[in-house]
Amino acid sequence: MIPKELLRRVRQIQIRTSRVVNDLFAGQYHSVFRGLGMEFEEVCPYQIGDDVRLIDWNVSARFGEPFIKKFREERELTVMLVVDVSRSGLFGSGRQFKLDLAAELCAVLAFSAIRSNDKVGLILFTDQVEKYVPAKKGTRHVLRIIRELLYHVPARKGTDIAGAIKFLNRVTIRKSVCFLVSDFLAEDYESACASPGGGTTSFP
C-alpha cells in the first residue's frame, strides 16, 4: 500500500504543476515538440500568405488558378523522462531536495505531453537502470510516474548517464523526445548525449 502522505504529495504536485501547464505551457508544448511527419490531407485554393512551395502545379494547371497542398501533422510522440535518482539528489536548498524538484519538472512535462495525446515513459537510474516504466497515455499513468519518482528508494549511490542512455536506445522503438533530468555529477557521458546511438532519440 502507498502511504497516505505520499498520495497527498502526489496530489499536491498534480495541482501545482497542472496550473503551470495550463497557464504557461498552453500551445507552447505543441509548437516546440512537433510531430513525426506530415500526411497529405487536401488541396485548396491559394490565398495570399500561403507558402508558394506548397503549390500543386498539376491541379493549378487543370483549374486555371493556383491551388496548394494541405498537410496534417502526425502528432503522436513518445516522451521519455530519464531521471537520475542517485544519492546526490538528496541534497538541495532548505525548502526542497533536487529529487523533489526533478519530480515537479517531470510532472509538468508529463502533463503537457498527455494534453497533446502523447505517450510518456520513465527511466530511473543510478549507476544502473533501477526502474523502467514503458510509455503510455493518460492521467492515471502520469500519476503513476509521479509516484515512482517520489516513492523509489535507490539501491545504489553512483551515476552512470551513458549507461542510462544506452538502455533508453534499447527500449525505444520509435522516434522519441527524451528529457534527461540530472545534476550531471558524472563522468564520460557527453559523447553518449551528443550521439545517442542510432539517431532514435533527441535531448532538448
Side-chain angles (χ1 to χ4, degrees):
M1 293 292 293
I2 299 175
K4 290 183 178 179
E5 174 62 21
L6 178 60
L7 293 175
R8 185 182 65 80
R9 290 180 64 193
V10 171
R11 181 60 177 165
Q12 286 177 339
I13 288 178
Q14 181 187 15
I15 293 172
R16 186 159 56 247
T17 57
S18 293
R19 290 173 183 166
V20 175
V21 171
N22 292 332
D23 296 343
L24 301 180
F25 275 60
Q28 294 185 26
Y29 175 93
H30 184 276
S31 63
V32 173
F33 305 113
R34 300 186 64 83
L36 301 179
M38 305 297 287
E39 183 178 280
F40 174 75
E41 191 168 41
E42 61 178 346
V43 294
C44 59
Y46 174 85
Q47 296 181 357
I48 295 176
D50 287 339
D51 189 343
V52 296
R53 293 173 298 179
L54 298 179
I55 291 177
D56 187 319
W57 295 107
N58 291 330
V59 175
S60 299
R62 191 179 312 139
F63 288 92
E65 61 177 300
F67 278 76
I68 65 168
K69 297 177 181 179
K70 290 280 188 177
F71 295 87
R72 175 169 50 85
E73 186 180 8
E74 297 178 55
R75 256 300 309 158
E76 183 178 293
L77 292 174
T78 297
V79 176
M80 291 300 300
L81 305 173
V82 186
V83 185
D84 176 2
V85 292
S86 59
R87 185 64 60 89
S88 61
L90 297 177
F91 293 88
S93 67
R95 295 187 307 140
Q96 194 174 41
F97 290 138
K98 285 187 281 187
L99 283 177
D100 294 328
L101 182 60
E104 292 193 15
L105 172 61
C106 290
V108 170
L109 295 170
F111 280 119
S112 297
I114 63 169
R115 279 192 55 168
S116 293
N117 202 36
D118 293 335
K119 296 179 180 179
V120 187
L122 176 69
I123 295 172
L124 301 179
F125 72 95
T126 51
D127 55 8
Q128 65 182 22
V129 172
E130 298 202 1
K131 188 76 177 183
Y132 168 54
V133 179
K136 293 183 181 179
K137 298 180 181 180
T139 301
R140 290 184 64 182
H141 182 67
V142 171
L143 293 178
R144 179 198 171 185
I145 284 176
I146 297 172
R147 287 197 301 268
E148 295 289 356
L149 282 162
L150 294 175
Y151 199 47
H152 182 78
V153 179
R156 301 173 68 91
K157 300 178 181 179
T159 306
D160 183 2
I161 294 176
I165 294 173
K166 290 178 182 177
F167 178 86
L168 167 70
N169 280 285
R170 288 200 300 269
V171 298
T172 50
I173 300 174
R174 57 177 295 173
K175 183 177 180 181
S176 304
V177 175
C178 306
F179 294 90
L180 175 59
V181 182
S182 174
D183 54 15
F184 297 96
L185 297 178
E187 298 178 352
D188 302 325
Y189 62 85
E190 292 87 350
S191 60
C193 290
S195 180
T200 59
T201 57
S202 58
F203 291 85

